[in-house]
Each structure stands twice: as structure tokens, then as C-alpha cells.
Amino acid sequence: MGSALAFLLLFLGHALATPLRWASDSQSGAPFVFHDPADQAKLTGFETDLMQVLARKMGRTPVFVQNDWDGLIPGLQRGLYDVVIDGIEITPEHRAVVAFSTPYYRTAERIAVRRGTDGLDTVEALRGHVVGTLKDTTSQRLLEKAGGITLRSYEDETNAYSDLANGRLDAVMLDAPIAQYYAVPDDRLKLAGGPIGSLSYGIAMKQGDAALLSAVDAGLESMRRDGSLRRILQDWAMWTPEMASYLDDQSTEQVPPKAWDHWVASTRPTASLQARLARYAGFLPLIGRAALMTLAVSACAMVLAVAWGLALALARRYGRWPLRGAATLYIEIVRGTPLLIQILFIFYGLPSIGVRLDPFLAGVVALGLNYAAYEAENYRAGLQSVPHGQMEAALALNMTPAQAVRHVMVPQAFRFVVPVMTNDFISLLKDSSLVSVITLTELTQAYIRLSTTYYDYLGTGLLIGGAYLLLGLPFVRLARIAERRLSRSVRATQPR
Amino acid sequence: MTVAPGRPPNQVVCDSGAETPASGEPLVMVRDLRKSFDGQVVLDGISLSVETGDLISIIGPSGCGKSTLLRCLNLLEVPDSGEMRLVGHGIVRDGGRWRRSDERLAHALRTEVGMVFQSFNLFGHRTVLENVMLAPVVARRTGRAVAAKEAMALLEKVGLAQMASRYPATLSGGQQQRAAIARALAMAPRVMLYDEPTSALDPELAEEVLGVMRQLDDEGMTQLVVTHEMRFARAASDRVIFMDSGRIVEELPPETMFTIPSDPRTRQFLRNYL
């Protein structure tokens, strides 16, 4: 009886615990937060493990929120989640916008080169060479300061190491954990020289929340004292003498690096076709879900674009001047600014004036409002191509101007614009990839995730490209049927 | 009809709800109608009256204003000044701006007037039957079944019953124009206006259309026809109006017009045709 009650309390306690919403970009790769190469549905990484333990220490339930790297900090400001953990370096620039926990990992930069390259083992030695790194990192600043180095800044470490292996770069300098996970397992690459500089990763949160900050710090301190932080790092083969002295942990306990071994085993290039096909088959659930997301966002956005676009076109063609002017202004503004900015503006900008849309809705609204401007111009051209005599005939038959537009002009304008609309929808399918910046996992996001995990841009590219084509084909076909039906009545109704 | 001082320039005058004009008043009455486009005078003081059941042909050289006159009669063009009464609807223009609210006047007036265009202007996205039904269903809220029945009767009248389900683009010009007449008749107008109804047609196809107009004349329809068909004008009209340079030069019974016109301009014009 007593134990049952205790169990119930424990259960309730767990269920009622406030969630700790933590965000990361699972595309930014190993060993931080990423999808298990052997099982795309599984989130893994040493930070993932760390957050599970930390949340428990804080008495909260960890809830993962995916966000694009560039959106991680804005998302904090927006209140989409409580904390961000993604190998974010504690720098003065970052401190200016967010609050940091005490560092949970300290490390240094490492240089990687192709096997057979010698002598490139210090920053000074890199002068006169082409060197890759990630943008906005300590490494980038070190390389810039050295001078005389042709610097290539990447968004993604896989691309950097891939270009190193291909010979586009002479060296890559990045955080030691990244070098360990991407350069060391690659037979074509090796590390050169020793650690350079030093950097610390911290958990980022919104400034001014002292309670959250001290709770996170207390949790980390507890993980230090009971050795759970060390065991996680050992599991990922990231336990270094430097960390031992930083955490003041001289334990001799041996924890086998199972997570590291798993990474090395599961990313080893698979030579056999069969293994490759088996791997691709494993991608299908992810691609399927991503394709559904792409389709859902695009279809909803298109419905909005058609309705709003028609309203704008009618306002421009038949509205009185204030309405006509407003519609024209809207169209010019929307067509004259990048879609990406509009998406970010709607998702991250509008909340500051009290309009909070969830990611899906924000994506649909942004794409829909953007495409409406283009649709409006199509429809206006369509309306203009209906002979004026049609309008006069309708008015002479005692229809009101509104009835004439509704029953005579719009239906006939429609048949002119069907081919263009098909085009627009297919282009919308592809532009929907931009909503990946507001945490939606659609096809392009899936491609980036899969290809960066496996260095396989070719095979996954073909798979994802195929998925886009399959999504677009039914609409091309549908449009052709619609065109054929409409063209029954088309041809010139004019005698000459 | 006089305009009281202070009255707005445009005014619909309905005769106490009655749609039929008082006995003795003509069905269509136009007084001193003027219209310019960009300073170019197109109608220079037109006056005319048409009795119920008349078939009036309007002839004249290109650019004489005959089409503009016809289009003014159902306000597809707005006259600058002058006075019109059609089937009890009156409109007085005094050079004022045509405001959007004045469209209501036009709407009321058009309930009595059917219009047939040179280029047919059938609705290309609808079948012939739907073309005839559309206005009653949309503008008059007639039930679809009733409208379809009436439309079918009209198509039979113009000899197109078997074409009801075809699209306009698949019809000959003569068939299209007859469909356009049926479409105008579906709104039960009291006056029919034809703007060069046969100019786009070969002679034999034109004959189909003129036949329908003759039939309507026999039934007592009031019709005004802008035309180049002199044989039709001569054979079927009650009166013929010759226009030149925005004015009515003369208005005569057809036999007189085509045999002994009094004005040299008329003689000159007709010489080119006969």
C-alpha cells in the first residue's frame, strides 16, 4: 500500500514536473546534438545525454525543441524554449545577448589536414594556405587575427572536412570535439599539431532569469560532484586531462566509450551496394514525414495565396483608388523583399508586437502572403486578357459590376492563369524549404540532416530530389487535366 | 420635362412605379444629347423619339456617332448633356461628373433595354444555354429550372435549340449572333438595341440574324439597329435615320430615304452603297 502510494506520487511528480524546453540544432552534428546515424528517429549526442541528467537534477522533464542554428538565440528571445545547448562558445559577443551557465565543457581548437601533408601544425604555419572553419567561431577569429590566410567560412563542418578531403582546402581548424568526430574517423584525414587556444561551452538562456540560471548551475554542479558529467564525457571519448583538472575530478573509474564506438561504426563508409540500399531504406520514414510537411505547408500556403491574391487582383483592377493604391503598395513591398526575411520577420519579429504564430502557421502565412503578391499579378494579367466586350455584355444584361466580375470576368481570367499557377505551385513546393529556418523539418532540412551525417550528398540528394518530383508531378498532371477541360470552351469567341 | 433649380444633374424619374409610359408618350425619347471624347465632339445635339413597335435603322458613315448614340441609350457610354427617357426611366445630364452612385440609374434603365453587339460577346466559358440563362439567374434571381426552360424556348425561337449544350466557340458567326439575341431577350427587355449586328458576318449568315429581327418586329418589339445592311434597312424599317458628324441629318420613311433623300450628304453616302 505504502509503496503503491509512493509510486503514484513519483508518477504524478514526474507527470506534473514543469518541462524544461531545451533547444538545439540537430543538424549541427556530432558529438553535440544529432540524430543517430543508425536510427534517424533517435536523438543522441553528449549534450542530449547531459540535458537528460540535468533536467532530472532540476526536477523538470526535458523536452527537445529543434531549431535552425541561426534561429537558436532569437528563439530564446521569443520564448520558444527555456535554454539552448549546442556547443555555443562563451564569448563577450554572446554574453551581450544571452546569459550563460558555468561552462560544461572546455576544449581547444585543432588543425586537421590531409594524410601526407606535413608542417601545417600551427596557426602561423597556415599562412599562405586555404583554411576552412565555421563562421562566427573562436577558430575563425584566431585565423583572421593571424593574417595571410585564405579563409573559407562554412555553415557546416561536414562540408569543411569534405572540401579538405577533396583538396579544396589545405587545412581545417575547428573545436577539438568536432575534429575528433569528423576528421579522426576519416582515413583520408589526420590531426596536425596540438591544441590551440581555449574555449568553453555554456548553456545559454534569456538574460534576467536569475532563478533559472542558478537552477541550471546547481544542476551542473551536482553533475560534477556525483561524476555523472564525467561518465557522459567518457562515454563519448571526450574526457581529457584538461577537463579532469577543470572539474577537479581525479576519479580513476573507467567507462568504455560506447557512444564513440557506435559513432565510428555507424558512419564507416559502406562500400557494398546492399548496405547502402539498406541505409537508404532507413531514410524513408524521415523523408516520408518531411515530404508530408513540405506538402502540407505548400498546399495550405497555396490556398491562402490564391484567395488573397485574387482579392488583391480585384482591388487593383476594379477597386477605387485608396484600395487600389493599398493593393499595389502591398504587392510591390512583398515582391521587392526576400521571402527569407519575410519568414523570419513573421516568426521572430511579430511576437514583439504580440502576434505569436506557431511555426507551421507562421510558415503557411509567410509563404501564402508572399505568393499572393505574385498570384495577384497573374490574375490581374488574366483579367486584362478577357476582352472588354465581355464586361459590357454582362452590364448590358443588367448584371451589376460585381456580378459581372464574379460570373463573367473571373471564370474566364482563370483559364488564362492555370498554367502559370501550376508553375507557381511547383515553385512554392521548393520555396517551402525556407521554412526550415523556423524549426519545421521538411524535405530540404531532411536532406541537410542526412547528407551531413553520412557525407553522402549524392545518394540522399537523388532521394530527396525524387521526393520533390513525386510531390510536384500530380499537380502538373492535375493542371493539364484542368487546362484541357477549360480549353473546350476557349478559342476565340471573337469573330475576327 | 423641366429641371427644377437646385436639382442634381442626374435624376431618374419614374412615373409612379409604372413602367409603361403615359399614353401618347413615345417609348424612347432623346432630346439634345451631346457627347465628346477628349474634346472631339461625337454627338452634337441628337433628338429623336421612337414609338412602341417601331424598327428604326440608323445609317451613316464610319465615325458619324451612330454607335455612340446606341451605347448612350443604355448608358454603356455616359452622355455629357441632354435628356433621355426610356420606358419611363428618365435621365437628365447637365455636364456633371458621373459618379459611381449614378451606376444605379444605369442599372435601373438597363432592365428595359437589351443590347446586341457586333462581336457577339457571348460568354466563352458557358454553353449557349448557360449564356442565355446566366443573366436571369444572376441578376434577376430566377430559379435555374425556370430559367433553363425559358432559355430553351428562346433558343427554339431563334432556331438554336439543338445547339444549346455547345460552347460559343464551336458555333458559326450567325449562330453566335442569334444566341446573343436570345440572351438579350431572356431579360424581357422592352427595347432592343443592335450595334452593327451583321457587320462581322457573311451575307448568308447575316440573313439568319436579320430574319430573327424581322420576326421580333412582327411580334411588336421596339428595335433600334445601327447597320450597313441597306437592303434590310429599306425592307424592314419603319423609319431610317441618317447621321453624319454627330448629328441626325434626316429621318425618313425607308422608301423616301432610299429613293429621294433631300440632303446632298445622304445622297453622297447612299451612292457608295447602292
Side-chain angles (χ1 to χ4, degrees):
Chain A
M1 176 68 195
S3 67
L5 192 66
F7 177 78
L8 190 69
L9 281 175
L10 195 72
F11 178 78
L12 280 176
H14 189 71
L16 293 176
T18 14
L20 179 69
R21 294 170 64 80
W22 64 281
S24 192
D25 181 6
S26 60
Q27 266 94 73
S28 49
F32 303 94
V33 174
F34 60 102
H35 291 269
D36 187 344
D39 176 7
Q40 279 296 321
K42 192 178 151 216
L43 199 67
T44 183
F46 88 95
E47 290 177 336
T48 308
D49 294 348
L50 186 154
M51 286 311 296
Q52 306 310 307
V53 180
L54 179 65
R56 208 163 52 237
K57 297 259 185 214
M58 293 166 68
R60 299 175 70 169
T61 317
V63 175
F64 171 68
V65 182
Q66 160 64 30
N67 201 353
D68 210 59
W69 169 262
D70 291 320
L72 281 174
I73 302 298
L76 260 188
Q77 254 78 329
R78 239 203 84 160
L80 289 179
Y81 32 73
D82 304 310
V83 299
V84 169
I85 183 166
D86 201 359
I88 297 181
E89 297 164 24
I90 303 179
T91 62
E93 293 83 5
H94 286 155
R95 270 195 193 289
V97 285
V98 291
F100 276 110
S101 69
T102 54
Y104 57 87
Y105 196 67
R106 293 173 70 145
T107 182
E109 304 296 343
R110 293 300 302 265
I111 294 172
V113 294
R114 271 186 305 283
R115 274 179 204 276
T117 308
D118 286 314
L120 300 184
D121 40 15
T122 61
V123 174
E124 289 70 34
L126 293 175
R127 289 208 179 101
H129 291 274
V130 186
V131 181
T133 189
L134 291 182
K135 60 168 193 175
D136 298 331
T137 55
T138 302
S139 165
Q140 187 187 29
R141 278 185 293 275
L142 283 173
L143 292 167
E144 273 168 0
K145 222 171 73 186
I149 296 170
T150 309
L151 199 57
R152 299 254 190 280
S153 292
Y154 288 79
E155 298 261 348
D156 196 296
E157 60 274 4
T158 32
N159 295 344
Y161 288 113
S162 178
D163 277 357
L164 175 60
N166 293 335
R168 287 199 194 119
L169 299 173
D170 299 323
V172 168
M173 185 164 99
L174 278 174
D175 303 5
I178 303 175
Q180 178 186 345
Y181 270 76
Y182 288 93
V184 173
D186 193 322
D187 295 333
R188 300 166 295 180
L189 307 179
K190 65 169 185 183
L191 295 185
I196 297 164
S198 78
L199 55 127
S200 308
Y201 299 146
I203 298 174
M205 59 210 93
K206 212 167 159 175
Q207 285 176 335
D209 192 343
L212 179 63
L213 179 60
S214 63
V216 168
D217 278 344
L220 283 174
E221 170 60 15
S222 163
M223 288 179 70
R224 180 188 77 82
R225 246 186 277 130
D226 68 8
S228 52
L229 182 51
R230 169 177 47 78
R231 278 189 288 274
I232 288 171
L233 294 174
Q234 284 174 316
D235 186 27
W236 288 93
M238 291 170 67
W239 186 242
T240 57
E242 190 194 359
M243 276 308 284
S245 74
Y246 166 61
L247 293 181
D248 193 20
D249 183 337
Q250 304 307 330
S251 161
T252 53
E253 182 188 5
Q254 291 297 311
V255 176
K258 275 204 262 178
W260 162 253
D261 292 341
H262 177 70
W263 165 261
V264 172
S266 57
T267 56
R268 190 170 294 137
T270 39
S272 85
L273 184 67
Q274 207 171 3
R276 248 171 192 265
L277 290 180
R279 174 185 283 181
Y280 289 150
F283 293 170
L284 292 180
L286 174 70
I287 293 178
R289 264 177 288 131
L292 272 183
M293 176 59 83
T294 292
L295 188 61
V297 169
S298 306
C300 293
M302 194 65 189
V303 169
L304 178 61
V306 168
W308 181 226
L310 186 60
L312 286 168
L314 292 177
R316 250 197 116 167
R317 180 123 172 87
Y318 301 112
R320 288 208 228 192
W321 85 260
L323 198 62
R324 194 169 62 231
T328 307
L329 188 69
Y330 175 92
I331 290 167
E332 292 312 327
I333 288 175
V334 168
R335 288 198 309 180
T337 53
L339 175 55
L340 182 61
I341 289 180
Q342 291 164 11
I343 293 174
L344 292 172
F345 180 85
I346 286 175
F347 191 61
Y348 292 113
L350 290 188
S352 52
I353 56 165
V355 182
R356 276 165 201 279
L357 301 175
D358 74 53
F360 182 82
L361 202 57
V364 166
V365 167
L367 285 169
L369 293 186
N370 178 276
Y371 268 73
Y374 295 93
E375 291 307 300
E377 287 301 275
N378 290 343
Y379 302 157
R380 197 168 67 100
L383 286 168
Q384 271 166 348
S385 59
V386 178
H388 186 63
Q390 295 285 308
M391 187 73 176
E392 288 195 335
L395 292 178
L397 283 165
N398 214 22
M399 293 188 205
T400 63
Q403 288 167 339
V405 168
R406 153 93 177 73
H407 294 281
V408 175
M409 301 305 281
V410 169
Q412 297 195 76
F414 188 68
R415 66 191 186 194
F416 288 105
V417 299
V418 163
V420 195
M421 280 172 70
T422 318
N423 236 354
D424 284 348
F425 184 74
I426 289 168
S427 142
L428 177 61
L429 268 180
K430 291 177 291 173
D431 274 349
S432 71
S433 64
L434 289 172
V435 301
S436 61
V437 300
I438 54 171
T439 77
L440 294 179
T441 301
E442 43 61 69
L443 278 173
T444 298
Q445 182 88 333
Y447 174 56
I448 294 169
R449 183 196 290 179
L450 291 172
S451 55
T452 53
T453 310
Y454 297 98
Y455 278 93
D456 182 3
Y457 288 88
L458 186 69
T460 38
L462 292 174
L463 275 178
I464 299 283
Y468 270 115
L469 282 177
L470 282 177
L471 285 185
L473 275 179
F475 295 95
V476 175
R477 187 141 182 76
L478 212 64
R480 209 165 290 155
I481 292 167
E483 260 175 76
R484 204 173 306 136
R485 283 181 56 110
L486 289 167
S487 72
R488 276 187 324 197
S489 59
V490 180
R491 300 220 306 274
T493 53
Q494 303 295 306
R496 283 178 291 197
Chain B
M1 188 174 132
T2 52
V3 178
R7 215 179 199 187
N10 309 319
Q11 182 95 37
V12 166
V13 182
C14 286
D15 290 334
S16 59
E19 291 196 344
T20 316
S23 62
E25 192 181 323
L27 195 66
V28 176
M29 189 279 295
V30 175
R31 193 176 298 160
D32 198 25
L33 209 64
R34 292 174 189 277
K35 173 77 180 174
S36 303
F37 290 111
D38 300 323
Q40 174 117 28
V41 177
V42 180
L43 296 182
D44 191 10
I46 299 283
S47 298
L48 80 118
S49 68
V50 181
E51 302 292 336
T52 305
D54 278 357
L55 195 165
I56 309 290
S57 292
I58 304 172
I59 61 174
S62 293
C64 70
K66 55 193 193 299
S67 281
T68 305
L69 170 62
L70 207 66
R71 289 162 60 82
C72 279
L73 288 177
N74 74 348
L75 290 170
L76 283 180
E77 300 293 351
V78 179
D80 299 331
S81 68
E83 193 184 326
M84 297 183 342
R85 286 181 70 76
L86 281 96
V87 203
H89 297 277
I91 182 161
V92 178
R93 292 279 300 151
D94 195 10
R97 260 186 67 208
W98 182 256
R99 286 181 297 273
R100 207 163 269 237
S101 60
D102 297 325
E103 276 297 324
R104 278 204 304 277
L105 313 185
H107 194 249
L109 185 148
R110 287 177 190 139
T111 57
E112 309 293 350
V113 184
M115 178 106 181
V116 173
F117 300 86
Q118 179 184 357
S119 52
F120 326 141
N121 294 351
L122 288 173
F123 305 136
H125 63 304
R126 299 292 187 121
T127 63
V128 169
L129 183 70
E130 289 166 341
N131 261 275
V132 181
M133 289 168 60
L134 188 66
V137 168
V138 168
R140 192 165 277 174
R141 307 206 176 280
T142 309
R144 288 192 68 85
V146 176
K149 221 174 109 197
E150 290 174 359
M152 209 57 209
L154 285 168
L155 286 175
E156 228 149 88
K157 181 178 188 157
V158 300
L160 286 177
Q162 72 283 7
M163 299 291 177
S165 59
R166 300 266 290 265
Y167 281 91
T170 66
L171 265 53
S172 76
Q175 290 168 330
Q176 290 194 48
Q177 195 61 297
R178 283 185 282 151
I181 294 173
R183 182 176 70 169
L185 291 174
M187 292 300 279
R190 300 285 303 275
V191 180
M192 285 286 283
L193 308 175
Y194 302 83
D195 186 6
E196 304 198 24
T198 58
S199 298
L201 300 177
D202 295 338
E204 57 187 312
L205 299 181
E207 201 44 54
E208 299 174 357
V209 175
L210 298 173
V212 170
M213 291 160 67
R214 279 196 198 89
Q215 186 189 338
L216 289 172
D217 187 44
D218 293 344
E219 293 169 10
M221 177 62 79
T222 310
Q223 304 182 86
L224 278 88
V225 189
V226 166
T227 187
H228 293 293
E229 291 281 342
M230 297 306 156
R231 282 192 305 140
F232 171 80
R234 184 169 184 171
S237 307
D238 293 302
R239 276 176 297 142
V240 179
I241 291 173
F242 174 70
M243 281 182 70
D244 191 24
S245 305
R247 295 167 196 248
I248 292 180
V249 175
E250 51 190 335
E251 180 175 349
L252 296 167
E255 276 314 313
T256 320
M257 175 69 82
F258 289 102
T259 51
I260 41 165
S262 51
D263 197 282
R265 282 172 293 175
T266 317
R267 279 198 294 273
Q268 173 63 36
F269 173 73
L270 288 175
R271 213 176 359 252
N272 295 336
Y273 271 88
L274 300 172

